[in-house]
Amino acid sequence: MMESILLTIVLAPLVGAAIAGLLRNQIGKAGAHWATILGVGTSCVLSMYILYLHAFAGAEVYNQSVYTWMVSDGLRFEVGFLIDRLTAMMMAVVTFVSLMVHIYTIGYMHDEDGYQRFFSYIALFTFSMLMLVMSNNFLQLFFGWEAVGLVSYLLIGFYFKKDTAVFANMKAFLVNRVGDFGFVLGIAAVAMYFNTLDYAEAFAAAPAFADTTINIWGDEQWSLMTVVCILLFIGAMGKSAQVPLHVWLPDSMEGPTPISALIHAATMVTAGIFMVARMSPLYEMSETALTFVLVIGATTAFFMGLIGIIQNDIKRVVAYSTLSQLGYMVAALGVSAYAAGLFHLMTHAFFKALLFLAAGSVIMGMHHDQDIRNMGGIRKYMPITHWTALLGSLALIGFPGFSGFFSKDAIIEAVHYSTIDGAGYAYVLLVAGVFLTALYSFRMYFLVFHGKGPRDEHAKDHLHESPWVVTLPLILLAIPSVFIGYFTVGDMVFGDYFNGILTVAPEHNTLGQIEFTSAWGFVMHAVHGVPLYLALGGLFAAWYVYTRKPGIASELRTRLDWAHFALDQKYGFDHFNQAVFAGGSRLLGKFFWNVGDKVIIDGIAVNGSAHTVGWLASVVRFIQTGYLYHYAFAVILGLLGLLTWFVVR
């Protein structure tokens, strides 16, 4: 029974994707969106049922193989499902957000070419993410990992006639290949030393290798667990867009807005967070790996938030917000606060999907103008979009009582109590990031929804609220964005929701040091904390600068032109990658073309062989004179030579 339900959850979106993609001409637009919505809706309903069974009905963990592909030297290559409370939570979040995006897409993509193709892609994306989170082995994990990467490539480049979209999807593909190279090496190390690809078996075998060292190069010995964990995390750095493999995520805005919501909220970018949390039994054996994770996460959280302050594209502001919030999740993983990181993953999925879809609603109203400097006063024309965007923004900055407040404050408190190397550095950056989050979030909010109105009079005359297929998902996402943190923080972060699923060494249990009595008590405790006042300070600064004294922003930009230039250039990562990696690859290719292809292959191997044969023929042809006495003389010389050789021998 359970196996049938799980197969239905996974395969329903795949069937919908196949129908929308392969039969698009026969079923038309309505058939495409109904096929995929029914498929994802079925998965959503059944996922909620699975969540109920595991979170409330006390269901046992399900860990079974459903198909064995191959067995080689005792190593099993299987398709299987591991369903516990972590998986159930991820399934519910992925399918619910995906369902909202599917419904929203009906309105957003209504007049776009490739309507059926887009629905096929997003349903396929949902299938790929479900295969990833439901897997019970590294092989299936890798399949889902690569599948979400493939579909993101197709979706980011959906407008394949635009050069910028083609560049963006190629950038995402190549950057993720860098991360995936490390990920594959990590999986290979697990298979090589643990002789299994099954999660449970690998976790059971790992303690025996806790003190094992390996030689990589030279005489240096490396801890096996450190190497495995860092290699796996390099894969997470690509998928979850951590510095320096973050550069693809802002450019993914070239895809349609619905897929920006799906990629940034509940699917691809959360894959790395989920993977590291799932691998907690391995990471707890290496403080070096945890420190590496912590420093990367905190660095991403702060420095990507800084870039968000100067962005003028409404979608890119939200994109840099995603980068920053992913940094908070990764930092939580680095201090072994896996529950807090996963909790922020869940709350962030709702309010970030809400913000992206609200941004898309604004873009529709502005006739696809995405520059926030051309907007203003939209709250009067689009009230539902305005109020839902405000709720999402308050959740994002961690306003007390909203879902983002509980998850973000839990992470900051956990980092504060941690004794892992680098925790002090991370704490300073994460606390400072609270101010930045409020500043860029409400800079966007005030510029878009307040003020006199859009600069374009034509846009102002035609502004109106989006259709119900757009506003309904906004309302349904706003509800958990406000309330879900209050009702789940006690059990999920400080309770026993993840008991037996996440492994935390006693010396790393920072969440256990946080005094928690109730959700309301947590709010009261935060009132006395620095993060709350920084969030309110950022909100006030955004209000004052962008509604009361807009000249301050211009003056600061003039005075801090060097800082603005650095942020505008994104710290030079793109230029460095283009010059060193892309440029270096082109130079290397040109060298191999000139030396390898033209000189060695064409010059020596092909033309050289022809010239050698021609020269040899031109020499040998002088032997063929046509005179009989020449040939008789040659025969006599040959005989004399043979006689001489036999005599001397």
Side-chain angles (χ1 to χ4, degrees):
M1 178 65 178
M2 180 58 73
E3 182 177 312
S4 300
I5 293 174
L6 298 177
L7 286 172
T8 302
I9 291 172
V10 169
L11 296 178
L14 180 62
V15 172
I19 293 172
L22 300 178
L23 303 177
R24 60 185 180 275
N25 295 327
Q26 288 79 10
I27 62 177
K29 288 185 174 182
H33 66 237
W34 277 115
T36 52
I37 288 174
L38 286 174
V40 174
T42 300
S43 291
C44 183
V45 171
L46 293 177
S47 294
M48 294 299 177
Y49 174 66
I50 295 295
L51 179 63
Y52 165 77
L53 291 179
H54 286 269
F56 301 103
E60 295 293 325
V61 174
Y62 179 90
N63 185 8
Q64 297 291 333
S65 170
V66 297
Y67 173 72
T68 300
W69 175 39
M70 182 173 64
V71 179
S72 176
D73 292 331
L75 197 64
R76 302 180 67 86
F77 298 86
E78 299 175 323
V79 175
F81 299 132
L82 169 60
I83 310 299
D84 52 24
R85 281 166 290 177
L86 169 56
T87 309
M89 183 268 285
M90 291 296 298
M91 290 164 60
V93 170
V94 168
T95 54
F96 177 74
V97 173
S98 179
L99 180 59
M100 295 301 102
V101 170
H102 276 70
I103 296 171
Y104 177 95
T105 300
I106 297 174
Y108 190 88
M109 299 292 290
H110 183 265
D111 298 321
E112 296 278 358
D113 293 332
Y115 184 90
Q116 296 96 312
R117 176 165 56 92
F118 187 82
F119 271 97
S120 177
Y121 287 169
I122 57 176
L124 186 60
F125 209 160
T126 307
F127 158 76
S128 302
M129 191 65 186
L130 286 171
M131 285 293 285
L132 189 155
V133 300
M134 294 170 66
S135 64
N136 71 345
N137 63 85
F138 286 93
L139 177 68
Q140 186 175 329
L141 172 70
F142 185 70
F143 167 79
W145 195 269
E146 292 302 303
V148 293
L150 169 63
V151 184
S152 70
Y153 168 83
L154 297 173
L155 285 164
I156 295 169
F158 181 78
Y159 299 122
F160 55 85
K161 294 181 181 179
K162 289 174 58 179
D163 291 339
T164 52
V166 173
F167 180 83
N169 74 346
M170 184 58 69
K171 186 176 183 179
F173 184 83
L174 293 176
V175 171
N176 274 278
R177 295 293 71 72
V178 175
D180 290 353
F181 180 67
F183 192 57
V184 168
L185 291 178
I187 294 175
V190 168
M192 177 179 177
Y193 286 94
F194 303 162
N195 196 37
T196 183
L197 289 173
D198 183 87
Y199 291 163
E201 293 176 4
F203 298 158
F209 296 89
D211 299 321
T212 301
T213 59
I214 58 175
N215 179 267
I216 300 178
W217 61 76
D219 297 324
E220 187 75 20
Q221 293 294 313
W222 294 69
S223 164
L224 171 64
M225 298 312 302
T226 297
V227 171
V228 169
C229 290
I230 289 179
L231 287 173
L232 291 175
F233 180 67
I234 289 173
M237 288 169 64
K239 280 289 180 289
S240 295
Q242 297 297 289
V243 172
L245 301 182
H246 67 284
V247 293
W248 67 271
L249 195 62
D251 286 2
S252 69
M253 296 300 99
E254 291 293 334
T257 300
I259 195 52
S260 299
L262 199 55
I263 289 178
H264 287 241
T267 55
M268 184 169 171
V269 296
T270 62
I273 311 299
F274 166 80
M275 184 274 294
V276 174
R278 178 63 84 188
M279 302 301 145
S280 61
L282 305 182
Y283 280 87
E284 288 303 292
M285 297 182 192
S286 174
E287 284 206 4
T288 302
L290 289 175
T291 297
F292 183 73
V293 172
L294 173 62
V295 171
I296 292 293
T299 301
T300 304
F302 179 76
F303 289 100
M304 293 303 106
L306 273 177
I307 299 178
I309 295 173
I310 64 138
Q311 296 299 309
N312 296 313
D313 184 311
I314 188 171
K315 287 172 63 177
R316 286 183 180 266
V317 176
V318 187
Y320 278 101
S321 162
T322 300
L323 283 170
S324 182
Q325 297 309 303
L326 288 169
Y328 277 89
M329 298 176 210
V330 170
L333 303 176
V335 295
S336 300
Y338 304 104
L342 290 168
F343 187 59
H344 196 48
L345 181 157
M346 179 189 71
T347 61
H348 175 264
F350 296 121
F351 62 72
K352 187 51 58 67
L354 171 60
L355 286 172
F356 264 115
L357 297 186
S361 180
V362 171
I363 292 169
M364 290 171 63
M366 290 293 297
H367 301 285
H368 293 273
D369 182 356
Q370 299 181 192
D371 194 327
I372 59 177
R373 294 170 296 184
N374 298 333
M375 301 177 188
I378 291 180
R379 74 185 190 282
K380 295 178 292 185
Y381 307 94
M382 308 179 74
I384 298 176
T385 300
H386 163 247
W387 284 110
T388 53
L390 176 59
L391 294 175
S393 298
L394 290 171
L396 172 61
I397 71 170
F399 193 82
F402 285 70
S403 62
F405 160 78
F406 294 102
S407 55
K408 187 180 289 186
D409 263 48
I411 291 172
I412 293 173
E413 286 292 295
V415 173
H416 178 62
Y417 284 109
S418 177
T419 57
I420 293 283
D421 290 342
Y425 165 84
Y427 180 73
V428 171
L429 293 188
L430 295 183
V431 170
V434 173
F435 177 83
L436 295 177
T437 303
L439 181 59
Y440 65 66
S441 298
F442 275 87
R443 169 182 176 263
M444 179 182 72
Y445 169 76
F446 287 121
L447 288 177
V448 171
F449 293 105
H450 288 260
K452 296 180 180 179
R455 295 183 182 181
D456 188 334
E457 291 298 325
H458 176 73
K460 185 185 297 186
D461 293 338
H462 292 82
L463 262 176
H464 58 82
E465 187 58 89
S466 299
W468 71 267
V469 288
V470 171
T471 55
L472 178 63
L474 296 181
I475 295 169
L476 294 178
L477 285 167
I479 295 170
S481 297
V482 176
F483 297 111
I484 199 167
Y486 186 88
F487 291 108
T488 58
V489 62
D491 189 41
M492 194 168 288
V493 179
F494 301 103
D496 59 358
Y497 184 84
F498 291 117
N499 280 0
I501 300 171
L502 303 176
T503 300
V504 180
E507 63 273 19
H508 297 161
N509 187 19
T510 55
L511 289 175
Q513 301 178 50
I514 301 173
E515 185 178 346
F516 180 86
T517 54
S518 65
W520 180 248
F522 195 71
V523 174
M524 290 296 98
H525 172 74
V527 169
H528 305 289
V530 174
L532 173 61
Y533 294 103
L534 286 174
L536 294 177
L539 193 160
F540 176 79
W543 169 79
Y544 186 74
V545 171
Y546 295 104
T547 65
R548 290 293 178 266
K549 299 288 183 180
I552 294 177
S554 301
E555 185 178 348
L556 282 174
R557 175 174 177 174
T558 302
R559 290 189 177 185
L560 300 175
D561 185 60
W562 59 272
H564 185 276
F565 177 79
L567 296 176
D568 188 52
Q569 297 300 311
K570 307 164 194 171
Y571 308 117
F573 278 105
D574 284 333
H575 289 300
F576 179 82
N577 291 337
Q578 284 295 108
V580 176
F581 294 114
S585 298
R586 286 193 294 268
L587 286 175
L588 188 62
K590 189 174 182 179
F591 169 79
F592 283 129
W593 173 57
N594 284 323
V595 176
D597 195 37
K598 293 175 66 175
V599 175
I600 297 176
I601 296 176
D602 287 344
I604 297 176
V606 179
N607 295 331
S609 299
H611 292 154
T612 301
V613 171
W615 173 82
L616 185 61
S618 67
V619 172
V620 172
R621 69 189 178 90
F622 288 110
I623 299 174
Q624 303 297 326
T625 63
Y627 294 108
L628 185 60
Y629 62 87
H630 284 170
Y631 300 149
F633 183 69
V635 171
I636 293 170
L637 286 178
L639 289 172
L640 288 174
L642 287 172
L643 288 171
T644 303
W645 183 75
F646 281 119
V647 170
V648 172
R649 187 181 177 201

